[in-house]
Amino acid sequence: MDDTQSGAAVHAEPALAEYEESFAATIARDQRVEPRDWMPDGYRKTLIRQIAQHAHSEIIGMQPEGDWITRAPSLRRKAILFAKVQDEAGHGLYLYSAAETLGVDRDDLTTRLIEGRQKYSSIFNYPTPTFADVGVIGWFVDGAAICNQVPLCRSSYGPYARAMVRICKEESFHQRQGYELLMTMMRGTEAQRAMVQDAVDRWWWPSLMMFGPPDGNSPNSAASMAWKIKRHSNDELRRRFVDMTVPQAQKLGVTLPDPELRWNEAEGRHDFGTPDWDELTRVITGDGPCNEERVRRRREAHEEGAWVREAAAAHAAKQAARTREGAAA
Ligand code: FAQ
């Protein structure tokens, strides 16, 4: 090694340390990290993992409720459901765009999803046998999404945090439409009330699992919280969801299926039972009631949409060529 080379090597180390220092200072000051800023590899990888999983969840999450679009009981319910499912598609698109700012390609992320190499939320692997499921998804699943995602509006990565602002506003409408649908059913017949209670019984525990494994078994939380990607732990958000939902259940007139659920006066919050963590592991690893169907349908939709992507690419190439010709003339 000659002198110049060794000089360059000595110089490279303080430069990296400076980048690290500046990144740490940005996080400490609660400022946003933007796509062009230097960031540690682990930070970039964690964001790509979480944002991609989040985007996949929004897209796969269209399926359980989408199944009811053609069977909605009235034009009004159909229009509402259509709008909601379309919103989820929009959320997926914002999130894939946010992931792309980190240097990954949306096509590649989709391939990873349909080949089972990337995850999506466990909650979308449960079936929707009755129309009450549509209401309960809005109330519980969108409610849980709001609890989890409002703090993500303050996430340290700018494009993710900004995408979450609009997403949360829309999730709030989704939650209300679900609750309103359930209120209507609860004012209906005995059979309708039973249908609501049955859906509540089936969705309660899977909704608690949406927040992820318990804190002691959450390998990504420590780094994610230090980097301020996540602002609260899985258990903390799960508790908030329970506290928020219990009075809503009382008002609605349904029973949450947990004999251990009770108000803890001393702590100022609810105590509740333990979800079946083995079930969460099974569902995350592909062995839930609907995993196979959800991924198969996503794969089919992707394959059937190939001609649209080809046509859009051909159109874009034609437009670009025209622009070039115009500039050259
Ligand atoms: N399902 O170390 P942690 C919606 C995985 S959107 C599947 O605690 P982390 C809107 C986790 O990825 C719903 N996998 O992980 C809507 C990790 O695996 P990996 C989606 C799960 O990231 C409504 C491993 O377990 N929301 O509902 C789950 O720190 C209605 C260890 O876990 C988001 O994606 C799970 N439930 O915390 C749409 C929000 N939980 O990657 C349609 C953003 C954990 O190491 C209709 N994401 N895993 O192999 C987050 O906040 C976090 O990623 C958590 C997990 C909290 C989900």
Side-chain angles (χ1 to χ4, degrees), residues 55-71 81-82 84-89 96 110 113-114 120-131 133-134 137 141 203 289-302 304:
H56 298 329
S57 304
E58 300 281 358
I59 299 297
I60 295 267
M62 295 164 72
Q63 291 186 36
E65 289 168 284
D67 279 344
W68 279 97
I69 291 175
T70 54
R71 296 176 291 159
L81 186 53
F82 230 138
K84 179 186 192 288
V85 173
Q86 268 179 343
D87 282 351
E88 311 299 359
Y96 283 125
T110 302
L113 168 70
I114 60 186
Y120 59 92
S121 181
S122 52
I123 193 74
F124 302 115
N125 291 305
Y126 292 86
T128 45
T130 74
F131 198 66
D133 291 284
V134 170
I137 289 178
V141 178
W203 287 92
C290 302
N291 295 58
E292 205 229 306
E293 178 190 336
R294 301 289 185 241
V295 176
R296 178 175 47 74
R297 285 172 75 182
R298 181 69 196 94
R299 187 184 311 114
E300 283 166 5
H302 188 64
E304 281 164 17

Side-chain angles (χ1 to χ4, degrees), residues 20 27-28 87 94 113 129 147 151 225 228 237 279 307 309:
E20 282 172 349
I27 300 289
D87 282 351
Y94 312 148
L113 168 70
C147 275
M225 288 178 70
K228 297 184 182 167
L237 293 173
E279 176 178 325
W307 70 272
R309 293 190 295 279

Side-chain angles (χ1 to χ4, degrees), residues 46 49-51 53-55 57-62 64-65 84 88 91 95 119-125 137-138 141-142 144-145 148-149 152 160 164 167 171 174 206 209-214 217-222 224 230 234 237 280 283-284:
T46 294
R49 179 185 65 77
Q50 178 165 326
I51 301 174
Q53 286 178 7
H54 195 165
S57 304
E58 300 281 358
I59 299 297
I60 295 267
M62 295 164 72
E65 289 168 284
K84 179 186 192 288
E88 311 299 359
H91 298 175
L95 288 163
K119 298 185 169 79
Y120 59 92
S121 181
S122 52
I123 193 74
F124 302 115
N125 291 305
I137 289 178
V141 178
D142 287 280
N148 169 268
Q149 293 173 22
L152 291 175
Y160 191 32
M164 291 321 302
I167 291 178
E171 301 292 22
H174 296 170
M209 292 177 202
M210 271 180 82
F211 293 92
N217 197 17
S218 164
N220 300 296
S221 275
S224 272
K230 274 166 83 160
N234 298 356
L237 293 173
L280 177 65
V283 176
I284 290 181

Side-chain angles (χ1 to χ4, degrees), residues 73-74 77 130-133 136 180-200 202 252-254:
S74 69
R77 292 291 170 202
T130 74
F131 198 66
D133 291 284
V136 172
E180 188 267 344
L181 162 54
L182 297 176
M183 291 271 248
T184 307
M185 289 186 82
M186 291 302 284
R187 283 195 295 263
T189 62
E190 202 45 58
Q192 283 175 306
R193 279 190 285 279
M195 208 185 270
V196 174
Q197 183 61 57
D198 169 62
V200 165
R202 285 181 289 106
L252 196 58
V254 294

